[in-house]
Amino acid sequence: LFPESITTEQQSLVLVKRLLAISMSCITYMRGLFPESSYGTRYLDDLCLKILREDKSCLGSLQIVKWIQGCFDALEKQYVSGFFHFFNGTVTEMYQFKFKYKKKVPQMDISSNHREFVAGLCSKDVKQASRLLLRTLYLLMQDLGPLPNDITLSMKLLYYNDVTPKDYQPPGFKEDGSPGDMLFAGDPVNLRVGSVSTDFHLMKVRVTAEKKRVRKAYSNLIQKNGPTEISHQGLDCEEEEENTEINLLNLAFSQEEVVGPEKKRKVSEPEKLPLNGRK
């Protein structure tokens, strides 16, 4: 599932893309969105993973695969800062992915007077963090209550404005057409699923769900002080990582009132996906 070694930027990108695809597959499978035929089976140690594939008999799963491929394009170009996908009318669940790109800086080896890369993050540790993230996500998905029958799956991609061309849209995406804040149904809690860091990328995953549907066993994952209003800012990867006061639901669709219209965060979305006939 993962590259044997994770020492180059390309190997790191492959890892992040696979983690993203597996995570989204896990969410759609465990939430019962598509039939069994839309998934292949792989194993990670003792964990059985269901991976989305192009199932021509299920248009919904085909659409999600296209969404993932669009995310890959933005990741390869290092434009996307994060994205989240959620079930709307009123938001009942939300899954947040954050990405940060690093530049590995060479340091001077004084003894030999040569510039060399210092030893980076160990591939073994990166793979272990990846396993832990996926295992936590799977366990969490098993314990969330059922979704309503008639829901629509949506996704929003957020970008680093300073490097992303204004007219850029990944394949299958368009400019966000629903500015404004959303309201979460019920009393939401933010759950830190995990993060994976290589010498070149950082990926973090959060889940937001109704408090009453989260078992006490996951209380150690809860991020406190989250309101019911969802706006874009919390996917800013430059946030202080250890600040528990950070509002991870602050994912603003429109920042005009905060920083002025000229600095509005670039956001794009695919066509929304109705999920009335779930398995």
Side-chain angles (χ1 to χ4, degrees), residues 79-86 94-101 155-161 182 202-208 230-241 246-253 255 265-268:
Y79 290 163
V80 65
S81 65
F83 75 86
F84 51 103
H85 62 122
F86 53 91
M94 183 166 64
Y95 303 87
Q96 306 170 42
F97 293 76
K98 292 174 56 176
F99 305 101
K100 187 173 182 179
Y101 311 98
M155 179 186 285
K156 304 285 183 181
L157 263 62
L158 285 73
Y159 303 90
Y160 288 106
N161 280 359
M182 302 179 298
L202 170 66
M203 172 176 162
K204 302 178 76 171
V205 181
R206 306 284 188 268
V207 174
T208 304
I230 305 171
S231 62
H232 300 134
Q233 229 147 323
L235 276 176
D236 185 350
C237 289
E238 299 302 326
E239 68 188 16
E240 290 294 330
E241 303 296 340
I246 291 173
N247 172 8
L248 289 181
L249 279 180
N250 185 25
L251 303 171
F253 290 155
Q255 294 183 333
R265 174 71 75 98
K266 178 179 174 62
V267 184
S268 58

Side-chain angles (χ1 to χ4, degrees), residues 27 93-96 137 140-141 144 184 189-193 205-209 214 221 223 248-249:
I27 292 165
E93 289 176 16
M94 183 166 64
Y95 303 87
Q96 306 170 42
L137 186 60
L140 179 59
M141 293 295 98
L144 288 178
F184 201 95
V189 291
N190 302 309
L191 304 170
R192 296 175 179 270
V193 176
V205 181
R206 306 284 188 268
V207 174
T208 304
V214 178
L221 302 179
Q223 166 114 25
L248 289 181
L249 279 180

Side-chain angles (χ1 to χ4, degrees), residues 46-209:
D46 61 339
L47 187 63
C48 178
L49 302 175
K50 295 294 184 176
I51 312 297
L52 272 169
R53 60 187 178 188
E54 293 184 304
D55 178 12
K56 295 182 179 180
S57 67
C58 180
L59 294 180
S61 64
L62 276 176
Q63 189 65 37
I64 296 294
V65 170
K66 290 180 180 178
W67 289 9
I68 295 173
Q69 291 170 345
C71 293
F72 285 175
D73 185 82
L75 275 170
E76 291 167 2
K77 293 178 170 64
Q78 298 191 355
Y79 290 163
V80 65
S81 65
F83 75 86
F84 51 103
H85 62 122
F86 53 91
F87 303 106
N88 58 320
T90 52
V91 181
T92 55
E93 289 176 16
M94 183 166 64
Y95 303 87
Q96 306 170 42
F97 293 76
K98 292 174 56 176
F99 305 101
K100 187 173 182 179
Y101 311 98
K102 309 176 190 178
K103 298 297 181 183
K104 193 171 182 181
V105 180
Q107 295 188 2
M108 182 70 75
D109 181 342
I110 297 175
S111 61
S112 62
N113 201 31
H114 289 297
R115 290 164 60 86
E116 295 181 352
F117 286 126
V118 296
L121 293 165
C122 175
S123 295
K124 181 179 178 181
D125 292 340
V126 173
K127 291 180 183 180
Q128 182 60 33
S130 302
R131 292 188 185 96
L132 180 59
L133 185 152
L134 293 174
R135 188 175 296 275
T136 302
L137 186 60
Y138 260 77
L139 291 174
L140 179 59
M141 293 295 98
Q142 288 176 358
D143 289 321
L144 288 178
L147 289 165
N149 289 328
D150 296 329
I151 57 172
T152 298
L153 183 61
S154 300
M155 179 186 285
K156 304 285 183 181
L157 263 62
L158 285 73
Y159 303 90
Y160 288 106
N161 280 359
D162 56 340
V163 296
T164 307
K166 290 183 179 181
D167 60 350
Y168 171 75
Q169 295 295 343
F173 284 76
K174 62 181 181 179
E175 185 176 353
D176 176 38
S178 55
D181 294 338
M182 302 179 298
L183 289 179
F184 201 95
D187 183 15
V189 291
N190 302 309
L191 304 170
R192 296 175 179 270
V193 176
S195 63
V196 175
S197 182
T198 74
D199 287 325
F200 304 94
H201 297 87
L202 170 66
M203 172 176 162
K204 302 178 76 171
V205 181
R206 306 284 188 268
V207 174
T208 304

